[in-house]
Structures are given as C-alpha cells and as structure tokens.
Amino acid sequence: MSANATMDATGPGLDSVGLTVLNNFLVNTCREMGLAMMKTAYSSIFNEGLDFSCIILDRDGEMVSYAEFCPAQIGAILYTVKWTIEELGLDNFRPGDVVMHNDPYRGGCHMPEHTVIKPVFHDGELYGFVANIAHVTEIGGKAVGGFAADAKEVYQEGLRLPPIKIIDQGRHVDDLWKVILSNHRTPVTSWGDFHAMIGSLSVAERRLHEALAKHGVAGLLAAGKSLMAYSEQRMRAEVRELPKGEYGFEDWIENDGVDPTARYRIHCLVSVRDDDIIFDYTGSSKQAKGPCNCTYGVTASATYNAMLNLTDQTIPRNSGCYRPIRIIAPPGSVVNVAHPGPSVGGNSEVHERIVDVLFGALSAAVPQRVAAAAGASSCNFLFGGRHPQTAQYYANYHIEGSGWGATIGGDGNHTQCPINGNCRNTPVEVFETRYPWTVEQYSLAPISGGHGRTRGGHGCIRVLRVDAPEITVSSFMDRHSTRAWGLFGGEDGGSGALRVMRAGEQTWRTFSEAFGTVSPNKFADVQLHRGDRVMIVSPGGGGYGSPLERDPALVLEDLREGLYDVDIARTVYGVVLREVGGTLAVDAQRTRQERGATT
Amino acid sequence: MTDGEWVELPRQLYVTTVCHCDLCGKMVARRFLRQVHDGQPKRFCDADCARLWQEYWRPRYGNRPD
Amino acid sequence: MYRVGIDSGGTFTDLVGIDADGALVVAKHASTPQAPKDAFLGVIDKSRIADEAIERIAHGTTVATNAIIQRQGARVAFVTTSGFEDVPFIQRINRRREYDLHWRKPQPLTRRRWSVGARERVNANGEITVPLDAEAIADVVAALRALPADEPPEAIAVCLLFAFLNPRHELMLGEQLAQAFPDLPISLSHQVAPIWREYERSSTVLADAFVKPLVAGYCESLSRALAARSAQVHCSILKSDGGTTLLANAARRPVDILLSGLAGGLVGGRYWARRAGIADGITLDMGGTSADVGLVIGGQQRFTTEFEIEWGLPVAVPIVEVRTLGAGGGSIAWVDKGGMLNVGPQSAGASPGPAAYAAGGTDATVTDANLVLGRLDPDYFLGGEMALDAALAWQAVARVAQRVGQTPEQTAAAIVDIADENMTNAIRLATIERGIDPRGFALVAFGGAGPLHAVAIARKLGIERVVVPPHPGLVSALGAAISELRVEKVRTVAMLSDLASDAALIAQFAEMEADARGELAAEGLRGHAFATWKLSLRYFQQNYEQDVTFTRAGGLAECLAQFHRRHAEFYGYSFPDQPVELVHLRLSVYEADRGDAEGPRLRALPADAPAGVRERAGRDMGGRAVTFAVHRRAALPPGHTLAGPAIIEEVDSTTFIPAGARLQVHESGNLIITEAA
C-alpha cells in the first residue's frame, strides 16, 4: 500500500501531529546512522565507546535533528558545518560529495574530532546535509593517539584538515586520502573508521530521500524551520521560568602539561534575562601554553549541555533550542583558544569543568535541578605500539568513568562517563584481545564519593600491566589536586591519581617521579616496558546537603555495601551503629545524640 | 555609531588564521559587521552581537580596545 | 490426542488444543498471579480435554519474567576473578539519556557485599596465567560463608574472565562450591552464555541464578500437580527462543525461559504468516500496555542475544528477536509544555485502564481515541464481556483536545496517528538495525489491539500486505501448542578467516550439532530434526558481526562473499581485500516444523454467532464524519472480499480497514488486507 497515505494527509505546512511524526522520523534516522557507525567502525572508541554523533542539517547549516551519542560534539558541529558552507559556498556541493573537516579554529572541538558532511539533493535541488562527527583515535602529530599533552602549538597535535572534499561526486579523491593516511600511524584503522562514518551518511541519505519524496525540498525545509521555531519557543519558556538575576561561579584546571604550577580559572557570569540567557566567560584565564584550551565550539557545546540538563527533556533537539542562549567567550582565553594555541584537552577535560561551573552558578537559582560537581575527568590515556602477536601497529584512546555529583533527590552514580560524552567503557575482554596489556584490577575507588545528605558517586581504579616489549603512552587527566566540590554542605569528592610501578619495583610513583615528565598527569610519549604497571584512579563526585541529614538507614546500607567504614559513618554522618545478633543496626538514640552534638 | 558595514575577509590560500567577533568571540568565516564606537573599530558576527555589545557588554566593561 | 498450548498472561490464562486432525479447542481462565499453577490446571479442566487425550502441553509462562521485572528473585552471591568484583556495578559507564542528572544506574541482580573474588586468571588466548589453587578455592568458600548472617545466599553465579575461551576454572569452582553448598543452585557463565564481554556475561549469569529458585519451584509444583492427575501428562516450557524445554531443564537453566511468555506470540504469528503463504513477516502483538514486534524471515524466526531486563542490564542468551515497546490500548495521551501532543510510554494499564473502562481512569488513552473514532463497539469489547463507556472516553479526549486547540475528533485521530507512528518507528529500528528493509514484508497483526492499528502502520512503513490471524487474542497459546523442540548453540572462536579451514569448521559444527541432537533426544524428540549452521563475521577490528549461513558445499568462501555483498548493500561499501574475523559459530537444531505444509492443518475455527452487517458512524483520520460497515468475522467465508472503510469484529479483537484498503478472507482463515487496486 502507498507509504504516503498518512504523511500526505498532513501535507506541506505540517500541523502539530505531522511535526511530531516528522521529528520522530528524523531522530530515528540519526539513530540509524549511529547504529551503522557502531556496527562497522574499527576503533574501540567507536564500536565500544560510541564517541560520535549523527546529525541532519538544512541547507542553512541549521541542525534539524540529531541522535544523542556525545553531547560534546553537538555545539561544535553547528559551527563546523556552517563554516564549511561559508568557506566552500553552497553552490559548490554536488550529489555524492563528502567533505571532511577537523580544524579547531574553524568551528571544531579539537583535532581528533573529525566531521564528515554529505549534501543531500532531491531532484537536483540541495536540501541540506547529513553529518557525523567522531573522535578519530590516531591523527598523527607528536604523540600516538592524538593527545600531545605537552603540545604548545596546534601543529604538534596532529594533521589539521580545513573543509576538504575527500569524495567528489562519488569518487575518492585519492591525492587527499594519500596525504591523510600517510600522516596517521594506523592508516588501516583510519580507513575503516572513516568509511564507517561515511557509510552512516549513506544510510541517512537514503532515509532522507524518502522524506524528500513525500514532502519535497520546500516542504521539508519549512517543516524543519517549524520544528526549530517550536523548540526555540519552548526553550524561551524555560528561560522565563528561571529566577531572573546574575549568577557567578568558578572552578579550576590544575595544570596544562607545560607549566606544572599554573592553574587556569574557568569563570562564568550567567545573566538570566527576560527570554534569553547570557553565559559570559569574561574573567576566565588567558589561554594556556599547553593544550587545556577550549575552542569556541567546545565552550558552546558545554554551555548547551548544561542548559539541556537543566531544562525540559522533551524539547525536540535542534538549532532552535540554542537561540535563547547567548555566549560570550573572549578569544585568547582558555575558553576560546586563538590560533595557533593547542586545544586537544579542552574538549576532553575542560568541557566537564565548564558544565560544573554553570551548575554551580545556577545552583543559586534552581537548586533542585543541578548536581554537585562531578569527578569529571575522562582520564584520557593514550597508547600505541606494535602488537607482539600480530606485528601490527595499534593505537587506542582509553577513557574512564568518574563519580558523579549528587542531586537533591539522589546519590551520584559511581563511575560513569563524564558529562561531555556518553561513551561506554571497553570491556576487559575486548581490551586484552586487542591490546597487549593485562588488566589486573577494575574496581570502584574506595571512599572517593563526597559525603552528603545524598552522596557523590565513587570513581574507579584500574591497574594495567604491560604485556609487550614496549608501549608508548600519553595522558591528559585532571582533578588530581583539585576536588569535585559539594553543594549546600555536601563534601568534596576524592581526587584522582595516575601512578606507575616499573617492572621489578615495589612502589607506585607519579610519572614525573619515574620518568621526569613535566606534569604528573598531562604528558606525552613515555615508553613503558614489559611488566611495568599503570594505576589510573578516577575522581569521585561531590555530595549534596549535610551528611548529618542523611537517612541513617541509607548510611547503614552504604556501610554494608562497603562504600565507607564505621568510623566515617560516625564521624561524618553522625550515625552510631551496633551489632544485633551478628549484624549491624542503627543505634537510633545514640545517633540522635551524636548528630545533636555535632551540629 | 552607524548600523555598520559588512566587510569580506580575504580568501588567500595562505591565510590560515581566524578572526573573532568582538562580542561573543565566535570565529568569523567569511564576512563580519564593522562598526566604529568612539573611534574604535569593532567586528561583529551580525546585528544581534552588535546589539548585545551595546546593551550588555559596554555598560559593564566599557569600550575596551580588545 | 491433543497438543496443548497454555499461555499465562497478565489477565487471562489461555489454552489452545489441537487434535491430530487439526481440530481446535480453546479455553480461557482468569489468571492467578499469586499461584499461576492454579490457572494452569484450571484452564485444562475448563477445556474439557481429558488428561488421557493430551499428547503434550507446552506452556508459556511469565514466572521468570515477573520475578525479574519485580525484582523478586533470589539473593545471588557473585563469584568472579579477583580484582573485578565491581564489574556488575560499574557496568558500561554510559547513561540512559544524555541530559538527565537524576537518572540512577540500574541495580544489578546482586549486591556489592555478596560479590566475591577468586585468585585466578585466564588470558585473551585462553591460557591460564594464574592457576586457581586449592587455597584460592578455600578462600572463596570462606568468603561466601562469611556473608552477613541475615542475608544467606540463595544462589551462586560464577563469571570468570575469559571463561568462554577456557572454562576450566569455572568448572573447578562449580564443583567445589557444589560440595561446600549442596543446597544452593550454581550458575556458571560459560554454560549460561559463552560470550565475549565480561559485563554482559556477568549480567546474564546473574539473571539465571536470580530466577533459579523460583523457576525451579514452579516447575516442581507443576510436575507434582501433573503427576497427581489421572494420566501422565508430558509438559514442557516454552523457551525464549521459541523452542521448548522439559520442566526439569527449565529449572536447571531458567535463563532460557526469561521471555517464555512472549515467544508464543512470535511462534503463532509465524505459523499464521506461513499459512497465508508469507515468508517474510513482521509480527505485531499489541495488547493493553505493550506491543511486541518480531521478525520472520524466509519463514524463520530471528534470534538475538541483545535483550535487556531494563536499560543497561543485558541478558545475552538466544531469544526470539522481539522488541517490546510501551504502546498499547492503555497508552496515555499527554500534552507537553509547548502544546505538542504525545502518546505513551506511560500506560493506564489494566487498572484503572482507559477512561472508557469507567474504573477511575481519567487519562485519554489510545483505546479511548479508538472509541471516539467509532472503531470500537462499546458493547462488544472482549465479545461484550466488558462494557466500555463511550461518554467517558469522549470527555477524556475532549480534555486533551482543549489543550491542543482541536476538536475531540481531530484529537482522537491525532492520538491514534501518533501511537501508530511510535510503533512504526520501533518497527523501523527493529528491521533497519538488522539491515532489513521492512517494505518487502507483510505485517502480521494480533493481540487485542494489533488489528486495529495494523493497516495504518503498514502504510507508514510502505508495507503492502497485512495479515490478521484467526482468534487474534489466542495466537500466543496457539504458538505454544505448535512450538517445536529447538536448541540454539553459540560457540565463540574469534579467529581470522584465513586461519580457518572448511574441514575444521565442519568438524566443529558437527560436534555442536551432535551435542544439540543429544539434548533434543533427551527432550523427547521423536521425528526428524533440521540443523542450520551460521558464521558470525566482521572485518577485523570491527566489534559487531553479521550472520551468514554456512553450508558444506559453499564453505567459508561463499560465506565471505555473502558477507562482503551484504556489507556493501547496507552500508554502501565493502573491503574485499581486508581480513575478516570469524567470531561465532551459531547452530540451530529444530524439530520438523509442525506449521509446515506437511504438518497438521488446522480445521475451521469455532464460530461466534454471525450478526450480519451493520453500520456505525465514525470519523476518519481528518476527524471528518464517515460511516463504517461493521462485520462479524465468523460471518465472512474464505474468499470473501470487501472494501474499507469497514470494521471486522470478533470476540477477542477488532480489525479496522480504512478507506482505500481491501480485505480478502484467505482459505487459511487469515484476513489479508491490501491497498485497493
């Protein structure tokens, strides 16, 4: 039967039902892209980690729809595609073209984040674009895995690609592919991953053709604009609901990989106005020498990310959502790096810090919606080398979850992907199959969640042992000396750590102690050898509210679950326990006394 | 102050650096809106940024040269 | 002699019996969730089939499903490789939704304090690098004995790293723990789910242990009750993969029957699809609160190992591929803050139910919308067993209409349309995710609400044929009655294809097949059994596989060719020069299908009293007034045709045929609906 029976009934100029239907269709299309990507990609960071996002944009470069895989990429892709359109010119797209782009100064997040963009035509007329932005593990540069944590210029960070057509009307532009793949350490993996990205575009293009056959270019463009107008109106209503005022907050990045003593301030003044909201980052530190800088795209992504976390989940996600959000990010600062400053860490570590700053600022306005600070280090750990069994060169981008901040209603989750992404971990059995390490431990980090009426989540500990003659590693981690702050009397979470134990030795040391790296947690190109061990500890999240107000029954349960010990129960939570018939129980009376005495 | 004028950026292949909007800091791809305030030239993404500069930035921070 | 299928649903326990000639007996009994055995026995008595006349009973049960959903299973102690005790709690570290600070990770089916480490290690090559010695075992036993006295473990789940490659340590532990804890059931991960990825395997073996005491108890109570009857009755349980397993085996490996209650619908749907001459079908089993979508391809069910108890808690055993979504007659319509209309996933359920049930529900549901559109007869719902209050339905829809600024009739149409669209999207994901284009398929719709929505969904999907089986409400019980003995096996090999040889693969498949045939023989297989062999392939470095059929004649070469071809078809590219990794050998062995042409044919169904054609005023999707012709299904003989708009009513369901569509009654009793020429 004809597929258009219902769609036609709502025709061009769709009513609200037609728009709901179309919005679902478009979101679904983006999800299909994501599934295609997951199923075909070569790198663990894609097929296990899902570090990519899939988007449909109209020919003005406005985002009509996306599937939520990685929030960090969403802001940036708006700018990369708009830039691409402006730089190449709308008239220069042809059916079958694929443009690739990773330039951090032209809207990108950081160099590993590659966007592929394909124009979609209907009857010879350009409708818009399908795009996939994804974290490519190996992009050349001075350090394997794209994280030159001690880089001082973009040129050290890998191969920079302005918007270029790598496929021209269906034909691979071999000269460009040669240049790109010659600059990557793992060209076969890049080849497989790029094709997974491009394949996902084909899947979406096919599906968009169906919608275009029904609605025509003009109809689909108009419907997209209606969806954006709708989302804009919803978001403005959300802004109007926020208590008006100015809210400031700050947090810090602890070093930049180049100067181990420098700290970088992330500051934001949030002004809630009539129906827009200004996020003014003036007052943030000047840009760092090392790569803990954000591109404009990262700062925008982080800002949008925070807003979407604090507003109604049911607003359709498209460019309209962002219109009421105004961002001021001074160029040449840590929140808006100027050429040729390095930026790889901004997207991976600073994004989370920006989101926490905004939660902190708005905790004064909407305390019931925000969370205390999260451990929020992706614990970026990069490594590569020749696999002793296959003799093939491999590279991997490894991340960890960290503890999340508590909210008014619930404890923060233990060990969860930081808020800039939504990646999965790589299973130990996959990890060891692909890479020559033995994982000796993967567990929650004891007592790392901040105490509170609701608790912060615990971070994790991973211990790795080198099972190859040599592995080259790099690291970009944070919150090893700072801590995730608690809110409203909740305590801070525990710091993270990175340690190494060389083969034959018995003590854990920092990389600075063992290898003389300038920074203990942001360094590149360290050679480890068989039997060396690495311990990664991810930070815990902050607590919310005074621990003395935590329900004693929950304290007992925490205790039984081994999240902390009897001493902490008593000294921090003011809960006194006693043994009844071989099991622990709350001593209600003494707990009251204890809590009374402490407050 | 005038409404300003649109200025096209040079497009030589060897120009690989980027310029930014004086209000929001966003990078400018092709053209920007040029306004002059108290003798100082300003570059803006568009009229929206120019307006916000007037109503938010200037009262707060003054007309700083950067 | 009757083959009997008994399906325990939330509201009713249904029975379908088929005799050797294909004659059908049906019976319904109110379900007894507190003691499901009672309704099971009750419905047998109600059917008046004598015990002596029962060849066998196959039973679809939700005992395991409910235990899992309601989290009322055993206290499970978890034993794993030392250093990895937190794996079930850390999970995969991703979140269900990107922008939700208030979401909490799912609680696994154990507690952190019941998680015990064993000093041992197997590496990625399957080699033992840290032997599990007597002391390590003794320490595990001591740790289990030291668990809190008020929470003694009721079952033990063991999952050691890389046990799917080398099970030696799991077997040693299993043996020693059985000696130390003779009263506790023990589940070993390599037996329950020999798969890659430790979290998914842990979660699966935990699920097995979690439901084991309950399922074992239920199976035992059924055995005892059946043994006490006048004649010996052979009874098996429907497995999640659509096959059956003896009561005793279900008790031993209960993870296999987690979706027992859903499988019957898929088996039944496939049967009716085949009877209508359809090889490729999408089954849509839609009831009050949820809709289950399944796939039949080339006359065969699809299987998957990607099932989740809730988001983030996977159970990786072969199940009939089914996607359950919260869309049913009870799905609630609501208006978001911006004035946009939405439907579901919240449901009014069976209680209070739709507004029209007059049981206290005031939310407008899909059922209410269907009533307002004139598609349901308020006096003939469940064959008149339940009266619907059309006025309450109208009021509920009118309240929503006011908020969206439309007439109640337009709003009712919109609610139905959005519900249809939601189901359409779920079907799209269920098909396209597998690389399948739904447009070549027929939509086989049943359950109480499926036939009402089927044609609209088919149109949205570009599907050309809709099939509505006889007695749409009893398809699950029928599925149980005709279910076959079946064994699914998966073996992970994980090797590059150029290292594999046809001879070695054939030897491995043959060994797996011999095991499976042995199991089938123990289950009481009498006749012939078929086997299919499949390879799961992917490009080296990819992490997800595509299954292709392996034949002795074509061997690996043909599999590879097929793999490259499919990759190119779906993703637009292939790498014929790149190494391909061979991940799993997949085997199915199944009894000669009773639904096949040579199997028993079902005779004409018992008829409800024909009532002739009536007319009813209703509304089309634009909210405009139309007149529907209303037919009783039993009055429509095979070969009969009619054009929409029309409504076909029967005791357990209602079929809606919109304008432009045409109905033909197939000789099998199926209704076949296509677009009018």
Side-chain angles (χ1 to χ4, degrees), chain A residues 390-542:
Chain A
T390 62
Q392 298 287 315
Y393 201 92
Y394 62 87
N396 187 44
Y397 172 30
H398 179 82
I399 57 165
E400 298 290 358
S402 48
W404 275 49
T407 60
I408 195 165
D411 298 331
N413 281 327
H414 302 307
T415 306
Q416 182 169 267
C417 180
I419 201 160
N420 56 340
N422 195 12
C423 299
R424 301 187 297 189
N425 54 9
T426 299
V428 172
E429 291 173 349
V430 172
F431 188 83
E432 292 189 3
T433 302
R434 294 276 182 248
Y435 314 113
W437 294 92
T438 294
V439 183
E440 295 190 332
Q441 181 184 343
Y442 182 36
S443 59
L444 294 181
I447 328 182
S448 57
H451 305 296
R453 186 173 63 229
T454 48
R455 257 194 298 98
H458 284 357
C460 69
I461 299 181
R462 193 187 294 266
V463 178
L464 302 165
R465 191 186 67 230
V466 177
D467 265 351
E470 182 178 288
I471 297 180
T472 298
V473 305
S474 303
S475 157
F476 199 105
M477 306 186 187
D478 207 70
R479 279 228 209 276
H480 286 184
S481 58
T482 65
R483 294 157 71 106
W485 36 265
L487 271 180
F488 308 115
E491 297 191 358
D492 294 352
S495 293
L498 176 64
R499 298 286 184 269
V500 62
M501 186 192 287
R502 316 249 339 230
E505 295 182 355
Q506 295 300 315
T507 51
W508 290 108
R509 296 190 288 165
T510 66
F511 274 78
S512 298
E513 291 161 353
F515 293 97
T517 58
V518 169
S519 158
N521 56 10
K522 300 183 184 72
F523 56 80
D525 275 332
V526 171
Q527 276 73 46
L528 299 181
H529 299 95
R530 190 180 295 281
D532 290 349
R533 288 178 167 83
V534 172
M535 174 165 63
I536 301 167
V537 182
S538 69

Side-chain angles (χ1 to χ4, degrees), chain C residues 37-358:
Chain C
K37 166 184 70 109
D38 296 345
F40 176 91
L41 298 172
V43 80
I44 297 175
D45 294 339
K46 219 171 156 185
S47 76
R48 294 167 192 250
I49 299 176
D51 290 351
E52 294 75 17
I54 296 176
E55 178 190 329
R56 63 147 223 198
I57 296 173
H59 176 32
T61 171
T62 51
V63 166
T65 324
N66 291 343
I68 290 260
I69 290 171
Q70 296 160 14
R71 298 300 182 94
Q72 287 171 344
R75 215 174 289 123
V76 183
F78 180 64
V79 180
T80 187
T81 305
S82 165
F84 300 88
E85 295 89 338
D86 281 332
V87 162
F89 306 91
I90 293 175
Q91 304 170 5
R92 293 298 303 271
I93 80 170
N94 53 336
R95 317 186 285 288
R96 180 172 186 176
R97 288 179 288 269
E98 274 59 25
Y99 306 109
D100 185 356
L101 297 172
H102 303 275
W103 175 77
R104 308 295 324 279
K105 279 191 194 187
Q107 172 72 46
L109 301 175
T110 183
R111 291 283 179 280
R112 202 164 176 248
R113 55 185 176 271
W114 305 332
S115 185
V116 171
R119 286 190 311 280
E120 67 84 40
R121 191 64 147 83
V122 172
N123 70 11
N125 298 323
E127 300 150 358
I128 290 173
T129 54
V130 179
L132 176 73
D133 57 23
E135 200 188 326
I137 294 173
D139 286 349
V140 170
V141 171
L144 290 172
R145 290 201 199 286
L147 291 180
D150 59 334
E151 298 176 329
E154 296 163 328
I156 301 173
V158 182
C159 180
L160 304 180
L161 285 178
F162 292 107
F164 66 99
L165 290 181
N166 181 349
R168 190 175 148 73
H169 284 173
E170 277 198 359
L171 288 167
M172 285 167 65
L173 263 178
E175 198 176 304
Q176 297 294 317
L177 292 176
Q179 279 181 24
F181 304 97
D183 298 332
L184 297 188
I186 296 166
S187 303
L188 304 180
S189 81
H190 77 277
Q191 290 171 352
V192 171
I195 52 154
W196 205 25
R197 295 185 181 97
E198 66 279 1
Y199 172 64
E200 285 74 2
R201 201 167 68 252
S202 300
S203 178
T204 305
V205 72
L206 281 168
D208 188 71
F210 186 74
V211 298
K212 210 174 234 182
L214 244 163
V215 169
Y218 180 56
C219 290
E220 223 164 89
S221 77
L222 281 185
S223 291
R224 266 202 307 273
L226 289 169
R229 290 178 75 92
S230 58
Q232 171 135 27
V233 176
H234 180 94
C235 180
S236 55
I237 303 276
L238 200 58
K239 289 191 295 178
S240 313
D241 67 7
T244 59
T245 185
L246 292 174
L247 288 174
N249 290 343
R252 210 162 45 232
R253 263 183 66 104
V255 75
D256 286 342
I257 68 157
L258 230 46
L259 294 188
S260 173
L262 294 186
L266 288 149
V267 174
R270 177 186 62 162
Y271 170 80
W272 287 114
R274 283 189 178 183
R275 290 294 311 278
I278 283 157
D280 297 334
I282 296 165
T283 62
L284 173 68
D285 182 354
M286 182 178 175
T289 54
S290 65
D292 303 318
V293 174
L295 289 177
V296 176
I297 296 174
Q300 299 295 324
Q301 242 104 49
R302 301 275 296 183
F303 297 93
T304 178
T305 51
E306 294 168 17
F307 172 72
E308 292 188 322
I309 294 167
E310 66 177 281
W311 192 93
L313 287 187
V315 176
V317 293
I319 58 165
V320 170
E321 192 172 303
V322 61
R323 186 171 287 259
T324 297
L325 61 149
S331 292
I332 292 171
W334 53 284
V335 179
D336 67 23
K337 287 184 196 164
M340 226 186 216
L341 182 63
N342 294 271
V343 177
Q346 305 87 337
S347 171
S351 171
Y357 281 17

Side-chain angles (χ1 to χ4, degrees), chain A residues 1-6 17 19-21 24-25 28 31-32 35-36 38-43 47-48 66 68-69 71 74 188-189 191-192 195-196 199 202-203 206-207 210 227 230 233-234 238 241 305 308-310 312-314 317 359 368-371 389 400-401 404 407 411-419 421-425 427-430 432-434 438-444 557 560-563 583, chain C residues 82-87 89-105 107 111-113 121-125 148-151 160-164 195-198 200-201 306 334 336-342 406 414 417-418 421-422 425 428-429 432-434 439 455-456 458-466 538-544 567 569-573 575 578 581 661 673-675:
Chain A
M1 50 191 70
S2 69
N4 54 10
T6 322
V17 175
L19 283 178
T20 305
V21 167
N24 291 350
F25 172 87
N28 234 42
R31 288 198 190 124
E32 284 171 32
L35 287 169
M38 175 182 90
K39 301 228 161 195
T40 55
Y42 275 26
S43 296
N47 51 35
E48 297 295 338
Y66 77 87
E68 301 137 327
F69 287 95
I74 289 309
V188 174
T189 307
W191 175 255
H195 281 84
S202 309
V203 169
R206 220 156 48 204
R207 174 88 36 230
E210 289 175 23
L227 279 172
Y230 175 78
Q233 166 208 327
R234 292 279 305 275
E238 291 284 325
E241 270 184 24
N305 192 352
L308 292 180
N309 268 288
L310 299 179
D312 194 326
Q313 299 289 311
T314 63
R317 313 265 186 242
F359 289 166
Q368 74 284 7
R369 293 195 201 170
V370 300
Q389 282 180 7
E400 298 290 358
W404 275 49
T407 60
D411 298 331
N413 281 327
H414 302 307
T415 306
Q416 182 169 267
C417 180
I419 201 160
N422 195 12
C423 299
R424 301 187 297 189
N425 54 9
V428 172
E429 291 173 349
V430 172
E432 292 189 3
T433 302
R434 294 276 182 248
T438 294
V439 183
E440 295 190 332
Q441 181 184 343
Y442 182 36
S443 59
L444 294 181
E557 178 65 14
R560 298 192 88 175
E561 283 295 83
L563 298 180
T583 59
Chain C
S82 165
F84 300 88
E85 295 89 338
D86 281 332
V87 162
F89 306 91
I90 293 175
Q91 304 170 5
R92 293 298 303 271
I93 80 170
N94 53 336
R95 317 186 285 288
R96 180 172 186 176
R97 288 179 288 269
E98 274 59 25
Y99 306 109
D100 185 356
L101 297 172
H102 303 275
W103 175 77
R104 308 295 324 279
K105 279 191 194 187
Q107 172 72 46
R111 291 283 179 280
R112 202 164 176 248
R113 55 185 176 271
R121 191 64 147 83
V122 172
N123 70 11
N125 298 323
D150 59 334
E151 298 176 329
L160 304 180
L161 285 178
F162 292 107
F164 66 99
I195 52 154
W196 205 25
R197 295 185 181 97
E198 66 279 1
E200 285 74 2
R201 201 167 68 252
E306 294 168 17
W334 53 284
D336 67 23
K337 287 184 196 164
M340 226 186 216
L341 182 63
N342 294 271
Q406 288 184 319
D417 192 36
I418 290 169
E421 187 65 24
N422 290 345
N425 280 331
R428 277 209 189 105
L429 271 185
I432 284 146
E433 189 179 330
R434 310 280 168 210
R439 281 170 303 192
V455 177
R459 284 179 165 174
K460 285 173 187 286
L461 287 164
I463 284 178
E464 292 176 354
R465 247 184 320 175
V466 170
R538 65 189 183 204
Y539 288 118
F540 177 63
Q541 296 191 42
Q542 286 182 340
N543 270 17
Y544 292 86
H567 204 281
E569 266 171 29
F570 193 60
Y571 301 111
Y573 68 97
F575 300 136
Q578 286 285 309
E581 200 173 9
I673 305 159
T674 52
E675 209 65 60

